[in-house]
Amino acid sequence: MALPDLSVDLGRGLVLANPVMTASGTCGFGEELARLFDLRRLGAVVIKGTTLRPRSGNPPPRVVETPAGMLNSIGLQNPGIDQVIAAKIPPLARYGVTVIVNIAGDSPAEYQELARRLDGVPGVAAIELNISCPNVDRGGMVIGTHPELAAETVGAARSVTSLPLIVKLSPNVTDIGIMAQAVVGAGADAVSLVNTFTGMAIDVERRRPILARGVGGLSGPAIRPLAVYQVWQVFRALGGGRGRPARVPIIGMGGIMNARDALEFILAGASAVAVGTATFVDPWTALEVVEGIEQYCRRHGVQAVRDLVGAAQEAAGAEVEQHDGEQGGEHDGE
Ligand SMILES: Cc1cc2nc3c(=O)[nH]c(=O)nc-3n(C[C@H](O)[C@H](O)[C@H](O)COP(=O)(O)O)c2cc1C
């Protein structure tokens, strides 16, 4: 059998060699990973959330390990957009890897200004709008949990750049499908999900939250079933179904540790996936996921990975259909 075709088209000319990227904030600006392996073997590198001005982030402690995951409250520590454009993107782009810049702001106007500055910068393949950061007091998740504000933010960025726009959705909403519809209606070329789930850990001896900021974002394998289901829901909310693609491609993430995990997201409806927390455990994970997906395709006689997108939706029985439409029901409380 010929090599399986792993390429994915994320819209507006953004075509990746394979569906595996890094998740923003979990590999900095790619420097450390570049010392370990050829970054071109990944579909893309998504760099740390970048803001208009430099940010030092939240005070420590800002990371805590939890059962099968971690809480972080980094708070978008980054050197600011000017420094990122001048000093971070050029060396990364020289490796020949597809570079996606993750941006975060306080208001639609700030996202617009960030998008304006990135438009036309050599080496930038796409922008990911992080409207879902749980670790900042203004902007971030506030925008990502209000459909109108999210749409306004995407529209503002859309009006100043022809770069592909990926919008990163928050899982901390009642219906993520409504958020996906709002941002796609405003011009998003793709959606990525999920960002972290808001959570907290308490030091019982000291009787106070462990993180200095109190709350943080939960990531890692603990969130994977929740994230897979949100991808499943967004695929349907965007018109995907049996044999029908979603209106825009979905990038799935949340606790991916290996190729099997990544395939869950793809079969639920994701065209591509991102590896985050796993990189802290084993920095080769993303590469192993690429290789594992390729092996899976060979083993199952799959000619193109895109043929797997949403395939579990086709197989889903009446039970899933029914449960999707229900609020509660007999599974309540499980
Ligand atoms: C330490 C840390 C920093 C993060 N920073 C960002 C960020 O700057 N921008 C962003 O959009 N997401 C950020 N995220 C969220 C991840 O990109 C990803 O959406 C989330 O962690 C779920 O994937 P995972 O379980 O594979 O880590 C961060 C996550 C972690 C753990």
Side-chain angles (χ1 to χ4, degrees):
M1 179 187 158
L3 280 180
D5 179 0
L6 296 187
S7 68
V8 292
D9 185 345
L10 295 182
R12 209 175 275 262
L14 180 63
V15 178
L16 308 185
N18 67 65
V20 184
M21 51 182 79
T22 60
S24 177
T26 59
C27 71
F29 295 94
E31 310 95 322
E32 289 94 349
L33 286 191
R35 279 186 233 125
L36 298 179
F37 59 82
D38 182 351
L39 292 179
R40 285 173 303 180
R41 295 174 69 190
L42 298 180
V45 167
V46 182
I47 64 175
K48 175 68 193 162
T50 299
T51 51
L52 266 185
R53 282 165 289 283
R55 283 176 67 104
S56 51
N58 294 320
R62 50 188 195 174
V63 179
V64 52
E65 205 169 321
T66 59
M70 65 181 277
L71 282 164
N72 91 82
S73 62
I74 304 294
L76 298 174
Q77 178 180 351
N78 78 96
I81 188 71
D82 292 339
Q83 185 67 5
V84 168
I85 290 174
K88 299 294 185 185
I89 294 170
L92 191 51
R94 274 197 289 277
Y95 290 116
V97 63
T98 298
V99 178
I100 299 177
V101 180
N102 180 284
I103 60 171
D106 284 353
S107 61
E110 273 199 20
Y111 283 90
Q112 185 177 51
E113 183 54 24
L114 285 158
R116 193 198 312 278
R117 296 215 199 160
L118 285 166
D119 191 58
V121 171
V124 176
I127 299 174
E128 182 177 54
L129 270 70
N130 173 10
I131 56 167
S132 44
C133 182
N135 299 322
V136 289
D137 294 330
R138 284 178 295 159
M141 209 174 78
V142 175
I143 294 177
T145 51
H146 290 89
E148 296 80 19
L149 200 48
E152 186 188 339
T153 302
V154 176
R158 178 75 292 158
S159 68
V160 294
T161 182
S162 52
L163 281 166
L165 288 182
I166 301 163
V167 179
K168 186 154 178 185
L169 302 176
S170 172
N172 301 300
V173 292
T174 309
D175 187 346
I176 197 167
I178 290 174
M179 296 305 306
Q181 288 165 347
V183 301
V184 170
D189 298 301
V191 290
S192 56
L193 58 138
V194 296
N195 207 318
T196 52
F197 286 78
T198 309
M200 173 179 257
I202 291 181
D203 181 332
V204 295
E205 295 304 325
R206 295 167 66 228
R207 300 183 187 177
R208 58 163 73 164
I210 297 177
L211 295 170
R213 189 168 183 270
V215 295
L218 183 65
S219 63
I223 70 170
R224 195 176 64 246
L226 304 169
V228 169
Y229 182 48
Q230 295 215 337
V231 165
W232 176 281
Q233 286 178 295
V234 167
F235 184 78
R236 289 186 173 205
L238 296 179
R242 296 176 184 199
R244 273 193 324 276
R247 273 163 66 201
V248 303
I250 298 166
I251 301 163
M253 73 196 86
I256 294 175
M257 301 299 283
N258 51 45
R260 197 210 68 86
D261 298 345
L263 284 156
E264 275 199 62
F265 282 92
I266 293 171
L267 294 169
S271 295
V273 293
V275 174
T277 300
T279 299
F280 298 136
V281 182
D282 172 1
W284 276 274
T285 305
L287 194 55
E288 287 162 8
V289 171
V290 177
E291 288 163 1
I293 291 175
E294 181 170 344
Q295 283 160 15
Y296 176 92
C297 288
R298 284 169 185 254
R299 198 151 39 87
H300 289 269
V302 175
Q303 277 162 14
V305 73
R306 75 184 80 90
D307 296 339
L308 295 173
V309 176
Q313 304 258 1
E314 290 166 38
E319 279 169 51
V320 181
E321 296 270 358
Q322 195 189 353
H323 194 68
D324 261 5
E326 278 175 6
Q327 296 293 322
E330 64 183 280
H331 296 289
D332 248 358
E334 273 181 8

